[in-house]
Amino acid sequence: MASVGPGAVEVASGEEVQRRPAGAPKSGYHADMHQDSGAGSVACTLVLTFISYILVALFFPLSLAFTIKIVTEYQRVVILRLGRVIGGRAKGPGLFFILPCLDELKQVDLRTVVYDVPPQEILTKDSVTVTVDAVLYFRIFQPILSVTNVTDAGHSTWLLAQTTLRNVLGTKSLQELLSQREQISQEMQNILDEATDPWGVRVERVEVKDVRLPKQLQRAMAAEAEAAREARAKVIAAEGEQNASRGLKEAANIMNRSKGAMQLRYLQTLTSVAGEKNHTIMFPLPLDLVNRVLDSLGGGGARQ
């Protein structure tokens, strides 16, 4: 601010230098400036719009090729007339009218867009490096916000998905990453949906596609799983032998109470072995039975 004369003060506003009367309130003076600027802008807009209508009428019907636009069912168009959104909402679907040289069209696709999140190297909570990729489904539900609040809504959402994937998985352990994919996907979807809501973007789904582990870690996990399986197999075999020994002990006690039980067991074994068509069969005989047979044969010979 610099004094220009006894009755005015120079005021710098942007690139223009204006003067206000000395002693005039500064805030009120700026309000008057904005009102004058707004009135001038409205007047300029009206003049340019009137000239455009005249040009359209002069070159009719050739001007229809530049003033009539068609939008499909899955698209919307945001019209900027002299830099301002007209109508307060997006146009479409169907046929609408524009003014050439004054209106700028921003076409927005409302269909669901699918983006592949590139593989990200992530250090998990338990210090394991893994490579994870995902797929992202989103769509634009507010065309005006997607045009006025962000430069490229699709690309911005894609980049945000990459950083969110790294941030969320960095707080998870490897076991949680492998076993809780649905919970992780839901958490990522909530974070992305909240962050992209001011852009007019709605994240519909996030899916973790693949988790790639290092080769050395895969071999270590395979060896650990194999060792665990072998340990379980040995425990099961030991429990089976223990149960079998208990059964044999009970069977021996029962056979010891009866003198003919062992002979019946011998005959049962002989029957099962003979059924397999073996050429040689070993059949054990008690010594007392053999002695009785020999004694009977010897006595009969003496008598003869």
Side-chain angles (χ1 to χ4, degrees):
M1 181 183 300
S3 178
V4 178
V9 177
E10 185 179 6
V11 179
S13 176
E15 296 180 355
E16 299 179 356
V17 177
Q18 302 183 8
R19 297 179 180 178
R20 65 178 175 87
K26 189 175 182 180
S27 59
Y29 181 71
H30 282 298
D32 294 340
M33 288 170 54
H34 288 304
Q35 290 178 0
D36 295 341
S37 175
S41 176
V42 172
C44 182
T45 301
L46 292 176
V47 171
L48 293 177
T49 303
F50 180 71
I51 295 174
S52 297
Y53 277 115
I54 291 176
L55 292 177
V56 170
L58 289 177
F59 292 97
F60 185 84
L62 297 179
S63 59
L64 294 179
F66 302 95
T67 57
I68 301 299
K69 300 295 180 181
I70 299 176
V71 177
T72 56
E73 182 68 30
Y74 55 85
Q75 292 177 333
R76 297 295 184 271
V77 171
V78 179
I79 303 177
L80 302 175
R81 178 166 295 173
L82 296 177
R84 296 177 179 271
V85 178
I86 64 172
R89 62 184 183 87
K91 302 294 183 181
L95 191 70
F96 59 93
F97 178 82
I98 66 170
L99 292 177
C101 302
L102 295 184
D103 294 343
E104 181 182 359
L105 304 183
K106 298 293 184 180
Q107 191 168 337
V108 180
D109 197 330
L110 301 183
R111 293 176 294 181
T112 300
V113 182
V114 182
Y115 274 159
D116 282 328
V117 180
Q120 306 290 318
E121 288 190 0
I122 299 170
L123 184 64
T124 61
K125 186 178 180 180
D126 50 355
S127 301
V128 178
T129 303
V130 296
T131 303
V132 183
D133 56 353
V135 60
L136 174 68
Y137 299 85
F138 71 92
R139 66 181 180 88
I140 295 176
F141 71 97
Q142 284 288 351
I144 294 179
L145 295 180
S146 66
V147 171
T148 58
N149 290 0
V150 64
T151 303
D152 190 342
H155 187 66
S156 300
T157 305
W158 181 61
L159 293 178
L160 183 61
Q162 298 182 34
T163 58
T164 304
L165 179 65
R166 288 194 296 267
N167 294 336
V168 171
L169 297 185
T171 61
K172 306 294 182 181
S173 64
L174 180 61
Q175 183 64 29
E176 293 174 345
L177 179 59
L178 296 177
S179 60
Q180 300 179 4
R181 290 194 179 187
E182 294 184 1
Q183 292 84 344
I184 293 174
S185 299
Q186 186 64 37
E187 182 180 355
M188 289 181 57
Q189 178 182 346
N190 295 336
I191 294 174
L192 288 172
D193 195 23
E194 182 179 358
T196 58
D197 189 70
W199 302 343
V201 175
R202 177 167 298 158
V203 178
E204 295 181 342
R205 193 176 184 87
V206 180
E207 290 291 341
V208 177
K209 290 199 304 183
D210 190 17
V211 179
R212 289 189 287 273
L213 305 177
K215 296 295 183 182
Q216 296 179 353
L217 182 59
Q218 292 181 12
R219 290 193 292 267
M221 293 179 65
E224 181 182 0
E226 184 177 0
R229 287 194 297 268
E230 290 180 356
R232 288 195 297 268
K234 290 180 180 179
V235 170
I236 293 173
E239 291 178 352
E241 292 180 358
Q242 184 179 6
N243 295 332
S245 62
R246 290 176 182 174
L248 291 175
K249 180 181 178 181
E250 294 177 0
N253 293 333
I254 293 174
M255 289 181 180
N256 192 26
R257 298 171 188 169
S258 177
K259 296 182 179 180
M262 186 61 68
Q263 293 296 330
L264 293 176
R265 183 60 180 168
Y266 286 158
L267 295 175
Q268 184 179 3
T269 304
L270 179 62
T271 302
S272 61
V273 172
E276 298 179 1
K277 298 181 180 180
N278 294 325
H279 298 286
T280 304
I281 298 176
M282 302 298 295
F283 183 71
L285 291 175
L287 293 178
D288 55 352
L289 180 61
V290 175
N291 292 331
R292 290 177 183 177
V293 172
L294 293 178
D295 291 342
S296 62
L297 291 177
R303 287 192 298 269
Q304 292 177 0

